Amino acid sequence: MTTETTLADLKTYLAQRPGAVIEEVAKERQIAPRAVLEALPAGMVKFAPGEAFATVMEEISGWGEVTLIVHTDDAIFEFTGSVPPGELSRGYFNLMQPKGLHGHLRHDNCAAIAFVERPFMGKATAFIAFLNQHGGIMFKVFVGRDEAKELRADQLAQFRALAASLEAKQAA
């Protein structure tokens, strides 16, 4: 099978199942999650350079309650709450709060940032995937939901504006 056939098959698969779990599709097909994101139907994903890591994280810190997910082979960790502001120091992007979500992120390992809008489990979703240099997903931050379980309109607007802004900078 040629690379073109494999890509065409993947695009067909995702067109029929746009809500497939990115990491599971990547594992099944033995490809990087970034390749799965790149094969999503047109309009579902926009990419920004990894150098925008700190900018994107700072923006997210102002959104309020979101869900941050780390998906590994062994576990799926979910944190719902506000992402704290951070700062660059000693080779890390440090999330600056003593409790709740905190830690040290290797921002230099981020090669790209994907802004994804697609259906998942029968609902609209929007998330930002931070992609490492091997095409893996470092973590994802999902736009929050309101009391009716719909995407928060304010966050979705900020998500779209940030994606458009970074896409425009990349094109310039």
Side-chain angles (χ1 to χ4, degrees), residues 35-56:
V36 178
L37 290 169
E38 290 172 343
L40 283 171
M44 286 191 183
V45 63
K46 294 178 180 175
F47 288 94
E51 293 81 25
F53 185 95
T55 299
V56 173

Side-chain angles (χ1 to χ4, degrees), residues 93-105:
F93 182 84
N94 301 289
L95 298 175
M96 306 302 292
Q97 94 179 351
K99 294 188 181 223
L101 180 64
H102 59 279
H104 316 281
L105 309 172

Side-chain angles (χ1 to χ4, degrees), residues 1-10:
M1 193 176 335
T2 67
T3 302
E4 294 81 25
T5 303
T6 304
L7 180 58
D9 290 345
L10 179 58

Side-chain angles (χ1 to χ4, degrees), residues 61-139:
S61 74
W63 290 4
E65 188 172 283
V66 295
T67 298
L68 186 142
I69 295 179
V70 178
H71 186 151
T72 71
D73 285 342
D74 301 313
I76 300 172
F77 289 96
E78 298 183 20
F79 169 83
T80 299
S82 296
V83 173
E87 65 181 35
L88 296 172
S89 177
R90 297 184 177 172
Y92 290 91
F93 182 84
N94 301 289
L95 298 175
M96 306 302 292
Q97 94 179 351
K99 294 188 181 223
L101 180 64
H102 59 279
H104 316 281
L105 309 172
R106 291 192 187 274
H107 68 286
D108 285 345
N109 284 354
C110 185
I113 301 167
F115 291 80
V116 182
E117 286 189 67
R118 68 187 188 123
F120 184 73
M121 298 181 78
K123 291 200 168 277
T125 62
F127 67 89
I128 300 171
F130 295 84
L131 304 167
N132 66 28
Q133 297 169 9
H134 304 290
I137 297 174
M138 300 167 69
F139 60 94

Side-chain angles (χ1 to χ4, degrees), residues 47-49 51-52 54-56 59 161-172:
F47 288 94
E51 293 81 25
T55 299
V56 173
E59 284 284 326
L162 181 57
S165 166
L166 292 172
E167 187 177 48
K169 281 183 187 175
Q170 189 170 351

